[in-house]
Structures are given as structure tokens and as C-alpha cells.
Amino acid sequence: MEKFYITTPIFYVNDKPHLGTAFTVIIADVLARWHRLKKEKVFFLTGTDEHGEKIEKAAKSAGKSTKEFVDSVVLQFKKAWEKLDISYDKFIRTTDPKHEEAVIRFVKLLWNNGDIYKGEYIGWYCVPDETFIADSEVKDEKCPNCGRPVERIKEEAYFFRLSRYKDRLLGFYEKNPDFVIPDFRGKEVINRVKAGLNDLDITRISTTWGIGFPFDKKHTIYVWLDALTNYISALDWPGGEKFDEFWPADLHIVGKDINWFHSVVWPAFLMSAGVSIPKSILVHGWWTVSGAKMSKSLKNIVDPSELTKTYSADGIRYFLLKEKSIWEDGDFSESALASAINGELVSGLGNLVARVTTIAEKFKGDIKGNDEIDEYMYKVCGFDLSSLIKKVDDCLCKTYRTDIALKDIMSAVGCLNKYITDKEPWKLASAELGNVLYNVLEPLRIISIILRSFLPETADSIFSQIGVEPQDLEKAKMEQHFTGKVKRGKNLFRLVEISV
Ligand code: ME8
């Protein structure tokens, strides 16, 4: 059985989750569900990054103890992911004692390898990004990544010899051309590595909210070294069975803001510790609001939990996955979300299910087929069902174009709606009607299997309305008989008002 280990970044708990963070988690969820549908052994990891100066400051300004504060925000993450139907296998917290122990062991390996030395950091630091910034990159005392003010710091620090890994990293990228996806993000990284690597400050003395540095108790371990280790500590590294089973990760999904840490810093740490390197880093674009990155610190966030009060989880999942290619940035607007729901979901999929279940519920004859639907679909949409499955598989396992996959699925839905309209089933005699119903219900059963990864609640509702148990991809083939007992249920989606 193939295995598939997929991770999201672990999110800072300085504030509640937002639609941008939800986007990453939803992509990971769709891929995890797809691999489960393919009967692979999946481990889907998400969690929270809870140490560091920014969290300590956020707790202080909320008037709470840091631990009390992080516990309350973690709860909000868990609730939001539950509302969005996120099927993670493990939720890791960097304040878990087992994670903290693993980080200390990991740091000792870097130390024993001679990669850590003591020095002094004099330079810029962006607290919201928890990132050290080179002098040459700072303009007007602003962070080049997020645009927020940076702080000048001068402190004793321990450094990791990142510069030592330049050639090994370049050799690794050459041997593994699919390491960073998409390609243009890989090129960005390679060009920066070629330009030279500075050693990286890996301890802080300005915050005590972190894991103690084992070789000097005045220092805490830099949040990024702490955080990246979550991908192996979650598998009970070292020595855990899960680690042997699932490492190396198949896919780390990250936003473009943290590509550098995952494609350069993380592999260098792993090389130093003698641990193998993940297979791929999938780098996605941002959701923006009026052109600015949606971000906790910029206070322009859209709260996914609030959105689920008006729109269904599947409506939100659908919109985020289909509105843009995952590489691009996209501007979020509630009116675009509402029109996607009212269009493809209410008038398309919802309407199809309502129409066919209304007719089929009353039909007493045999629902069996002649497979003319395959040819019809080919003529009307340009592909049949088996090529649809293949295309979706390519989109979810090779190109990561969830937008194209959903467009194709909705085009198949459109075909079936057109088929019903063309056939005018209300005018047909029993045998012919049984055939037409087969030609809609069987493809709908198959489409529902595919939809289980994108819109899990909707897929379950369709299965229940067509009287079939939820099935995996191995059942996604037309059979000659449709054996479900159809019972029209409530509408899949609600029409929403569009505000302009
Ligand atoms: O960077 N659009 O945590 P973080 C799309 N703790 N995705 C967005 C987004 C937006 N507007 N805003 C955030 C950290 N994201 C570290 C990670 S991992 C070892 C440590 C997503 O809470 C995107 O995936 O700032 C981004 O990389 C991640 O949230 C960062 O979340």
C-alpha cells in the first residue's frame, strides 16, 4: 500500500485563523482525502506554532498568561477546522512536551555535527514574521516581505552554518527538479542560494517563551528551528514507528511567504542532522483583501468561522479552490463567493440532484443502462467519465490545479443537466425513462465519489439521496444497473443574497 504524508504549516497563535490560513488547510484536506479515496495510507498533519516573541507580546496585550492565551487560540483553530470539515490525522502543538524533547535532540545533532557556533547578531528583525532580515533588503526600516516596521537588534546569539550547505543544496535541487512546485518558485530559491547563504541565527535571548537552548540556558531556540522540527516530531522521531512508516514527507504545503524556510533552511537542517529530505514543497499564492495580503497583523482578516454562518463549509471550500490557480494571488470578495455558490452550486449541481431525485423517487421500473451517456458527454463536454477521473487525478497529484479539476467536474454536471433537458424525461415511457435515469444517476454516483475529496458534506448528501453508501475510487466505473433506492432530500445548497 502506498503512503502519503502531507503537512500544512503550523500556524502562529497570535490571533485566530483566517481565510488565508484556511486556504492552506483546505488544499491539504482535499489532497489527503483524494489519496484516501485511492486507498493509500495517509497521514495528514496540521497544528500550531506557539513559541516566540510575537506570541509572547500578543498574550501580554490580551492581558493573559502566555499559556492561557495560546490554549484559547488553539481552541479557535480546532473549532474553525472542524467547521470546514478538515480531516487531519494529527494536530501538533509546539508546546507539546514530546515535541520540545524532539527539538532538543535535533539541535544536539546539529551541534555534534559542528554546525553551531556562538557569535553576535547585529541587524534587523521582523517580529510579525519572526525573521532576520539582511541590511541590503531593508528599505525605510520596513520588512521586505510584509511591509511592517522592523527592529534593529544587537544580541549574543548562536548561529547555524547555513553557508556550509550551499553546494549540497544546489546539488540536491539539481537531482530533484520537482522538489519545489511550481517551477518558478524553485527557480527563485535556486537563484537566491547561488547568490550566497548567510549563517542563520538560531537562538534568541530577548524572549523566554521558547524551548531552552541545551548548551546555554540564557538562550531559547529560534522559533523557526523549533517549528520546522514539528514535521518529524509529530511522527515520534526519533525511533517512532510512524516516522519509519511516513517519513520523508510527500508534500509540505506552504504559502509563498515561507518558501525559503522550507526549501532552503529545512533541507539544510535535515542534511546536518542526517535525516532524509521531504519529497516536495508545494508553494501557493495569497488571498488578498483590496490588494493587501490577508493577515492577522494587518487586521484585514476574513474569519472563516463567521463565514460558515452564512455560507456552507462546502460553498467556501468550493470557492477557494476554484476561484484561482493555487499559485496566484487572488482578491477575496463576498460577492464573488456568493455568485459561485448561486451559480455552479445552486443552479448547477444542486439543481441536477433535485431534478433527478424528484423523478427517480417516483419511478418504479428498472434503472438500467445502455451507456449512451458516455458518448453524449464526450460530444457535449469533450470528455467522458473515465477521462474525467484521470484529469482530476492529474490535477490533484501532478499539476495541483484544483481550479481546473473543479471546472471539469462542473462541466460534467452541466452536461448531465443538459442531457435531462434534451431527453424530456417527463414525456418518456417506463423502459426509456429507466434508461435515462440510469444515464444520469450512474454518472452522478461517480461524480459524488470524486466530490468526496472537495465537498465532503455535499457528496455524503448526494449518496444518501441516491441511496448508495459512500464509495471509493475503485467503484468509480459505470455498472449496467443502478441499485440505489432514491429519495429526494433537502436542497444541497441555499441561494444566497449578493451584496455589492
Ligand atoms: O508562517 N493567503 O505561520 P502563519 C494564503 N508559523 N495563505 C495564507 C495567507 C494568505 N493571506 N496568510 C497566511 C507561519 N497563509 C509559521 C509557519 S511552519 C513550520 C511555520 C498561510 O500563521 C500560508 O500557508 O504566519 C502561510 O505560509 C501560512 O499561512 C503561514 O501562517
Side-chain angles (χ1 to χ4, degrees), residues 351-364 367 372-373 376 415-441:
N351 189 28
L352 172 68
V353 172
R355 289 168 95 189
V356 72
T357 52
T358 305
I359 307 168
E361 187 174 11
K362 295 189 200 119
F363 182 68
K364 299 281 175 273
I367 300 183
E372 77 170 12
I373 191 65
Y376 181 92
C415 256
L416 296 177
N417 262 328
K418 184 163 162 31
Y419 178 77
I420 299 183
T421 309
D422 286 357
K423 289 286 173 182
E424 302 183 305
W426 45 92
K427 291 187 181 162
L428 297 178
S430 178
E432 225 184 321
L433 179 55
N435 227 312
V436 166
L437 285 174
Y438 169 86
N439 280 328
V440 179
L441 286 167

Side-chain angles (χ1 to χ4, degrees), residues 13 27 85 104 136 173 183 266 361 477:
V13 288
I27 299 170
D85 260 329
I104 290 168
S136 57
Y173 303 140
D183 206 36
W266 181 222
E361 187 174 11
K477 283 182 216 91

Side-chain angles (χ1 to χ4, degrees), residues 11 44 123 137 242-243 275 377 393 494:
F11 301 102
F44 168 17
E137 290 182 68
K242 282 219 157 49
F243 181 75
V275 178
M377 281 183 100
D393 189 54
R494 243 181 329 118

